[in-house]
Amino acid sequence: METALAQTKTKMWTGGKSPFNVSYGKLMMWYFLMSDSFTFGAFLISYGSIRFSLNHWVDHNYVFNKFPFTEANLPLAFVSLMTFILIFSSVTMVLAVHQGHKMSQKGVEKWLILTILGGLAFLGCQAWEWTHLITHQHDVLVDGVLQHWGTTVSHNPWGPEVMFNGQLVATPGPVAFGGYFFGITGFHGFHVFTGVVINSIMLVKTKLGTFQKRGHYEMIEKAGLYWHFVDLVWVFVFLCFYLI
Amino acid sequence: MNNEEVLHEQPLVVHDLGHSAHEHHHKQSFITKYIFSQDHKMVSKQFLITGIIWAVIGGLFSVIFRLQLGYPDQTFPFLEDILGRWAKGGRLDTEFYYALVTMHGTILVFFVLTAGLSGTFANFLIPLQIGARDMAAPFLNMLSYWFFFAASVLMFSSLFLQTGPASGGWTIYPPLSALRDAMDGSKTGMDMWLASMALFIVSQLLAGLNYITTVLNLRTKGMYMTRMPLTIWGLFFTAVLGVLSFPVLLSAVILLLFDRHLGTSFYLSDIVIQGKILPNEGGSPILFQHLFWFLGHPEVYIIALPAMGIASEVISTNSRKPIFGYMAMVGSFFAIAILSFMVWAHHMFVTGMNPFLGSFFVLLTLLIAVPSAIKVFNWLTTLWKGNIHFTPAMLFAIGFVSLFISGGLTGIWLGNSTLDLHLHDTYFVIAHFHLVMGVASMFGMFAGIYHWFPKMFGRLMNNTLAYIHFWVTIVGAYLIFWPMHYEGLAGMPRRYYDYSNWESFKMFGGLNEFISVVAAIVFFTQFLFIFNFFYSIFKGRKLTEKNKNPWKSNTLEWTTPIHPGHGNWVGEIPEVHRWPYDYGKDGRDFIPQTEPIGADESSHAGQ
Ligand code: HEM
Ligand SMILES: [Cu+2]
């Protein structure tokens, strides 16, 4: 028994077949995701190193407290919705892959469409959030004069507050906030965008029956790996920018 | 997916297997055969020839700036003829001097010794030596060349900009590289450098992913990982390093582009430029150095490992002896790959780093000398008492070992932070990395070209020209770089335009002149090689069916036809029964990997 086990184990590596029993395409996707995680890792570590070298950062509960169509103070509500949408689209992706295993063309189509819609909804939310941050102006005390700033890559109206004419007003905060926030969420958004494009291509190919003819839906699995990765990265981005 | 399916999008249908799809050559147009080819052998040649062109350009640049360094008080009117306003009155423009140095480094490090070296040999050798029809994804493989080509076109065009190409050094440290107003070289040239490098990174990722999956998934039957030639191990770890380190350079490049164009302050803080205070604050230029060297150090091993693999293979074959310590070689590749991610800050000892933190990097840096030394020991032991055939490839492989030792020893000096405080940014560092990386890996590349040329083109290169090429190059390399150690020890800084104004460095005037003369001689000697290469492609002595394995080598590539078609083997891919280093065994000169183990054969280390 033991020797038999050992034998099958060594047989995996004897050549003539894939040692991990996966196709080259999936293997490649896995390695790609590994390398992509180094890109994100480099961004997030840079962000961390700069942020913790500064005395002051921003208070998320004030910066991210708006929701469309209401003026109410709802800290982190909108981003929670975005996160929910993205995670939900991962669930629909799982179901699409599942239908692929069952060789159900209609099933794949249905869940793929929902995944694409989820991705688009996330991008839409992000667009709204960015627009809100950039265009919504706040009073900032700069060199003794009150100015009105949006939150951009070079302006941060969320600095420490001081008394001015008997009123509490903010001073300029570290510009690194805008740079990293827009830079990293933008880079992530770009990934979501490419994911949507990939999924749309998969949808077209499914509709054309390409995979049905090929006899397997592995391409959907590969697209799924990418999609889940983009989701996973969001969890880290969410953690680093909205929670900590 | 198995090997046969690589060439065919659809799984092969049964009736197709009978007359195997690879016997008949598909009718191919010129375009699909030579330009947009998906055959790994053609992609490899494309990388090689592009690399050669870049090497001539990059080498020429060094000759031009060496003219300035060797003859700071003279003018060369012919320079004005070729360079125009970059050399008014026959003297190099100071800004252009920096542009030349920067482009020399960028071109040689990335375009020649990364793309040219592993692009050529990974593409050529991986499928042939592991017994595969082609790369796992031939289309992505073709794309990897074309991304490299696009990067090349962009970088090349930047040479012709009004404001000149990037000129902040190959390491493009901000703030110099981040501010358009800092100098001409930080204007459009810098943007093109960054864009070109982004394309280059894409090319490297596509290539690396392909190499890794091919090695893991497409080995022929019997090709255990431990039966792979060391070339493949070297190229495999190179690909792993590339896939994990280039993305970090991508991050660094993206942040730098943002700083340049979107007004962010990732790397910028408290800067006054031309009397104007910039609004940027809170960024850190040191952050860029961390990101850059996290790629940069693995990058130097990306350049070294393929050369090490080639040298191992060539030395064993031409000593007619098994490689000494095969598993130790694999293990040291592995150790180098891991350690090379943990030593990057040895390039940053003088950035004001906490000396306590520095001491960890000293320790890890010195640790990496251990696997390097193991490799050197194994090469020397393989040579020891060998029946050495001094083919041109063998000479270059031995030259590689010699240069690697010379340059590696000075690495140990630099790895000690206390010594590095004095030696950093001096000619000592220039001497170190040119010997250990620049020239050594060039030698690895030459060894590879001379060795596999017959397989690439079905013809032999001229030996006499090759011997002259070798001896002039190795003697020249030592004459150029050895004296630089003394200059560096005396404190002579790198990257200066003119040393003759400095009381301390005046005494090196003659030496600098000497170095420049040798550099020019060595540069022009390379044309012997280039002539030999292109002449032999068309006119070299042809391989015959009897002599189709000219170096009597064990590895699989020599079992293919003299001119292998797309798919490499006619009929089935051969099965492998042994490691590739059965030379001089049981009274036989060599035993190819395809030969089954005989009943009364003695066992050997690699089984
Ligand atoms: C024995 C192992 C080695 C050690 C301990 C070592 C150590 C070092 C150190 C400490 C530096 C920084 C010097 C300074 O800037 O002050 C350095 C520079 C450098 N080393 Fe090594 N090194 C070793 C092997 C190698 C190898 C094998 C390569 C390439 C194949 C290499 C390529 C380079 C390059 C390119 C630089 C300079 C980069 C620049 O500043 O432009 N080194 N080395
Ligand atoms: Cu290093």
Side-chain angles (χ1 to χ4, degrees), chain A residues 13-19 22-24 27-28 31-32 35 38-39 42-43 46 50 153-154 175 179-180 183 187, chain B residues 1 136-137 209-210 213 216-217 219-225 243-244 247 251 254-255 262-266 281 287 291:
Chain A
W13 290 91
T14 56
K17 59 170 145 337
S18 162
V22 299
S23 70
Y24 79 87
L27 202 59
M28 240 182 208
Y31 285 112
F32 168 71
S35 94
F38 270 63
T39 316
F43 281 141
S46 307
I50 295 294
V153 290
S154 50
V175 288
Y180 280 105
F187 196 65
Chain B
M1 204 174 266
L209 293 170
N210 231 327
T213 29
L216 289 177
N217 263 18
R219 280 166 291 121
T220 183
K221 218 161 156 229
M223 182 61 84
Y224 301 5
M225 293 294 276
V243 163
L244 298 183
S251 312
I254 291 174
L255 295 186
L262 299 180
T264 53
S265 311
F266 295 115
E281 50 149 328
L287 172 66
L291 292 175

Side-chain angles (χ1 to χ4, degrees), chain B residues 297 300 343 346-347:
Chain B
H297 189 83
V300 305
V343 299
H346 66 212
H347 297 274

Side-chain angles (χ1 to χ4, degrees), chain B residues 398-562:
Chain B
I398 297 174
F400 165 82
V401 176
S402 161
L403 291 159
F404 188 76
I405 297 174
S406 310
L409 288 176
T410 51
I412 298 176
W413 294 44
L414 295 170
N416 288 284
S417 52
T418 27
L419 286 176
D420 189 58
L421 293 186
H422 175 59
L423 295 171
H424 178 68
D425 262 350
T426 67
Y427 267 71
F428 195 88
V429 178
I430 306 284
H432 159 68
F433 74 77
H434 276 88
L435 287 177
V436 75
M437 173 181 83
V439 193
S441 293
M442 252 352 222
F443 270 51
M445 190 157 161
F446 284 132
I449 295 173
Y450 282 113
H451 192 79
W452 280 288
F453 187 89
K455 192 69 250 166
M456 287 181 174
F457 299 103
R459 292 174 187 263
L460 290 156
M461 288 177 80
N462 178 297
N463 272 358
T464 315
L465 288 181
Y467 288 136
I468 301 173
H469 173 219
F470 170 75
W471 286 110
V472 176
T473 310
I474 181 119
V475 173
Y478 273 113
L479 288 181
I480 293 168
F481 294 112
W482 197 267
M484 290 187 186
H485 291 112
Y486 304 120
E487 297 181 336
L489 283 171
M492 193 168 114
R494 65 195 278 199
R495 291 184 169 143
Y496 281 26
Y497 172 76
D498 183 352
Y499 297 90
S500 58
N501 304 329
W502 301 72
E503 209 45 60
S504 331
F505 310 128
K506 262 190 188 143
M507 59 177 172
F508 291 123
L511 193 54
N512 278 334
E513 185 178 337
F514 171 77
I515 292 176
S516 295
V517 171
V518 184
I521 295 175
V522 170
F523 174 73
F524 287 107
T525 305
Q526 303 311 305
F527 285 98
L528 282 186
F529 164 78
I530 292 176
F531 170 75
N532 196 353
F533 181 84
F534 286 104
Y535 181 82
S536 305
I537 290 180
F538 302 105
K539 293 281 165 65
R541 192 151 54 81
K542 277 191 180 156
L543 286 187
T544 57
E545 200 49 47
K546 232 178 83 216
N547 188 30
K548 79 171 189 180
N549 181 0
W551 323 118
K552 304 200 169 23
S553 191
N554 287 336
T555 37
L556 280 183
E557 72 271 27
W558 304 103
T559 63
T560 59
I562 292 179

